[in-house]
Amino acid sequence: MSQSNRARADHDYVIVGAGSAGAVLAARLTEDPGVRVLLLEAGPEADADEISIPAAFPALFKTKWDWNYDTTEQKQLHNRKAFWPRMKALGGCSSMNAMIYIRGNAADYDAWRDEYGAAGWGYDDVLPYFRKAEGNTRLAGKYHGQDGPLHVEDRSYTHELTNLWVESAVSAGMKPTDDFNGPEQEGAGLYQVTCRNGRRWSVDQAYLKPVRQRENLDVETGAFATRIVLEGGRATGVTYRVGGREVTAGAAREVLLCGGAVNSPQLLMLSGIGPAAHLREHGIDVVSDLAGVGQQLQDHPAVPLVWYTRGTTDLVEFSNVRNLVRWKARGTGPLSSNVGEGGGFLKTRDDLAAPDMQYHVAPAGFYDNGLREPTRRMFTAAPTLVSVRSRGSLRLRSADPAWHPEIDAAYFDDGADLDAMLAGVKKVWEICGQGPLARYLDTPWQLSTSPSDDDFVEHIRNNTQTLYHPVATCAMGYGEDAVVDPELKVRGVDGLRVVDASVMPAVPRGNTNAPTIMVAEKAADLIRSAR
């Protein structure tokens, strides 16, 4: 594969991907009027109603808005493939996610620094960037920002079942909390969300739209990146397809990959950066033999535990014209729910230094990624493993950029993960079986009223799905598996950085959107300081 095709460098930086990292970088770098930035996005403008309506996010799955990935057959899940939705539009997955604002645990970032060699990424280093991004309407002080572009608020609507779950969790021994991002993560409570007045507040809304008129920023949608142009060991541009033609855009300073944990390692490998033997299998000339590209993949597995309900309502039945009109007029009502309204964090063992389990509860039947609409009223409590030991991989299936890569999530390949998930399932079963919630829960879905450990394990294998948090396929650090250094520069290639969730060396304890935005905020400072 030729690495020629030089283009005139009309821009200082070419950013690939306008998602939770790319949009942030574009906004921050163009604060300097002397810097010209080209932002490439494979998808279109994020202009569908379903994007703005918080409760409608599952309606985007398996549509034109979705990259629509699947994993390989997962050995520990009875050889089932897992569906992985990823947003293809401005805002990336911040235009598709459940909007839960969680940063992870302080121990996560200290481990990045101490265990993986990511110097400068400890908790004290990254907290200022979380605060810089955040515009919280309620929380302030040492741990929170109120002036950042990312609007964070309490939802205008919370279903009674979610509040009852929190009460039951507290009665079962969990601590009550109204801030999962403060000094202590453990506890049960309601989640804050990245919304503004009951409407999704993606990075497109928060960072990109306010700066689209800047003369030094060019945004091109429908631009599918196919290769990084590399000359003499340096990235000099990006080749992409748009409108039925192939274009090469030059970068005078740097190419910045922000495609996420799937697209960034795929583009590196297509460009000759990755495990040499694997690249040669596909006829790709090796520019830099980086064994870690596509390796070390981690994701959060989640298991929906679902009950039929009695004497209450369900979010699904509120999806009607009346509530749509209410939401459009005032941003209130059930459609302003993010579905996963509440939850919590706990340790499944007393000897753990930080929580290994997160719960997401929904006043509806949310299983199979919400792709099947329940015909009866339901309630869901989903244990999610957030301290993950298993490591998977991402590899090419073809040298054709249009082919989806081979994704092996390796769910529960490390037996300790399955043990932890079983403990988390049993704890949430205990919570839902007592306290004020219990009187509204009828028979369980797919389980008996008194399941054994074997029954629970079988349920885990049959129903585990992604929580949409893949990371680490371009992990940072200094070890042999590291793809980027702590300044996010790709090892062995000049003028090229990766800035997205793929650089996280291990998945944080919690939802990954806020950490990805933090990575981009910090990267913007790293890039500016290098000029």
Side-chain angles (χ1 to χ4, degrees):
M1 181 178 291
S2 171
Q3 299 296 333
S4 62
N5 195 17
R6 179 188 291 273
R8 189 180 70 206
D10 291 326
H11 298 87
D12 296 295
Y13 300 97
V14 176
I15 301 173
V16 181
S20 298
V24 175
L25 274 186
R28 292 305 190 192
L29 294 178
T30 55
E31 289 173 347
D32 180 350
V35 169
R36 288 197 59 82
V37 171
L38 173 62
L39 178 62
L40 303 175
E41 169 55 44
E45 300 280 340
D47 54 7
D49 280 347
E50 293 88 347
I51 294 173
S52 295
I53 301 171
F57 73 87
L60 299 165
F61 297 169
K62 292 185 180 290
T63 68
K64 71 171 186 176
W65 304 99
D66 187 4
W67 285 97
N68 193 19
Y69 293 117
D70 287 294
T71 69
T72 60
E73 294 180 349
Q74 297 295 286
K75 293 181 295 183
Q76 306 302 327
L77 305 184
H78 293 324
N79 294 318
R80 289 189 298 113
K81 293 182 178 181
F83 166 54
W84 273 23
R86 310 300 295 167
M87 187 66 166
K88 183 161 54 171
L90 294 180
C93 289
S94 76
S95 294
M96 179 189 263
N97 66 359
M99 296 147 283
I100 298 171
Y101 183 76
I102 294 288
R103 298 174 180 174
N105 193 282
D108 297 323
Y109 305 103
D110 289 345
W112 288 9
R113 178 195 62 205
D114 300 337
E115 297 178 23
Y116 297 97
W121 291 87
Y123 182 64
D124 289 342
D125 301 306
V126 303
L127 179 58
Y129 292 102
F130 280 118
R131 296 185 66 216
K132 181 180 182 179
E134 183 185 17
N136 201 303
T137 60
R138 175 170 59 86
L139 298 169
K142 174 182 176 181
Y143 294 97
H144 292 281
Q146 293 193 306
D147 301 321
L150 187 67
H151 205 267
V152 178
E153 66 184 20
D154 299 323
R155 282 178 326 284
S156 61
Y157 175 89
T158 298
H159 193 280
E160 65 172 347
L161 289 178
T162 305
N163 286 317
L164 292 171
W165 185 88
V166 174
E167 292 180 32
S168 292
V170 171
S171 70
M174 293 184 70
K175 303 172 186 176
T177 184
D178 65 352
D179 182 9
F180 292 107
N181 300 300
E184 187 174 3
Q185 187 184 41
E186 282 187 83
L190 304 178
Y191 289 132
Q192 286 199 302
V193 290
T194 49
C195 289
R196 185 168 192 147
N197 300 323
R199 293 167 171 82
R200 176 190 294 277
W201 197 246
S202 67
V203 293
D204 181 36
Q205 296 284 350
Y207 285 88
L208 200 52
K209 283 189 176 179
V211 305
R212 286 287 290 271
Q213 300 306 311
R214 285 179 181 167
E215 293 184 357
N216 59 337
L217 173 63
D218 294 317
V219 179
E220 191 153 8
T221 56
F224 176 56
T226 59
R227 181 168 54 86
I228 304 160
V229 180
L230 298 161
E231 300 185 12
R234 181 175 185 83
T236 60
V238 176
T239 298
Y240 60 98
R241 297 171 185 165
V242 61
R245 59 195 176 95
E246 190 167 86
V247 178
T248 297
R253 294 182 180 175
E254 293 187 52
V255 172
L256 306 171
L257 296 192
C258 303
V262 176
N263 299 86
S264 285
Q266 181 185 21
L267 189 58
L268 285 176
M269 289 189 282
L270 291 169
S271 307
I273 303 167
H278 177 57
L279 301 185
R280 292 188 183 108
E281 288 175 8
H282 294 286
I284 298 172
D285 293 337
V286 178
V287 175
S288 180
D289 181 7
L290 272 184
V293 175
Q295 305 303 303
Q296 305 305 315
L297 171 63
Q298 283 191 316
D299 183 32
H300 288 151
V303 180
L305 296 176
V306 184
W307 286 263
Y308 297 106
T309 61
R310 60 191 171 214
T312 186
T313 56
D314 180 298
L315 271 184
V316 175
E317 68 192 271
F318 294 138
S319 182
N320 54 44
V321 173
R322 177 186 174 189
N323 282 313
L324 178 61
V325 171
R326 178 182 176 185
W327 173 83
K328 284 190 171 183
R330 301 190 298 274
T332 60
L335 294 185
S336 66
S337 169
N338 70 317
V339 184
E341 296 177 346
F345 292 84
L346 61 78
K347 302 171 186 175
T348 61
R349 302 196 323 267
D350 291 338
D351 61 335
L352 294 176
D356 60 342
M357 191 61 51
Q358 180 181 5
Y359 294 132
H360 296 82
V361 299
F366 192 91
Y367 52 90
D368 190 19
N369 297 277
L371 293 170
R372 287 186 279 175
E373 188 170 298
T375 56
R376 292 174 57 186
R377 292 170 175 170
M378 287 178 153
F379 172 82
T380 303
T384 304
L385 182 66
V386 291
S387 179
V388 181
R389 296 178 61 169
S390 301
R391 294 276 185 168
S393 63
L394 182 146
R395 294 166 60 86
L396 297 177
R397 283 194 172 101
S398 169
D400 183 343
W403 281 50
H404 284 184
E406 178 184 278
I407 302 167
D408 181 5
Y411 292 128
F412 306 122
D413 276 8
D414 188 310
D417 287 349
L418 185 60
D419 292 342
M421 181 61 87
L422 174 59
V425 165
K426 292 170 70 173
K427 180 63 177 179
V428 82
W429 191 267
E430 174 192 337
I431 290 170
C432 293
Q434 55 86 56
L437 176 67
R439 65 178 174 269
Y440 293 97
L441 301 187
D442 200 350
T443 56
W445 173 77
Q446 289 198 351
L447 282 165
S448 70
T449 54
S450 300
S452 65
D453 283 7
D454 287 344
D455 293 332
F456 280 134
V457 169
E458 187 68 8
H459 186 81
I460 291 169
R461 296 192 192 281
N462 285 329
N463 293 284
T464 289
Q465 65 165 71
T466 178
L467 203 73
Y468 323 113
H469 299 158
V471 304
T473 48
C474 299
M476 72 169 130
Y478 283 120
E480 291 184 2
D481 293 325
V483 175
V484 300
D485 67 17
E487 293 188 341
L488 309 184
K489 296 177 180 178
V490 175
R491 294 169 56 199
V493 181
D494 292 331
L496 179 62
R497 299 191 207 222
V498 181
V499 183
D500 56 34
S502 72
V503 305
M504 301 177 189
V507 67
R509 290 170 171 86
N511 311 75
T512 50
N513 185 243
T516 302
I517 293 168
M518 174 277 292
V519 167
E521 287 277 15
K522 182 172 169 63
D525 275 0
L526 292 171
I527 293 165
R528 283 187 291 234
S529 67
R531 296 206 296 264

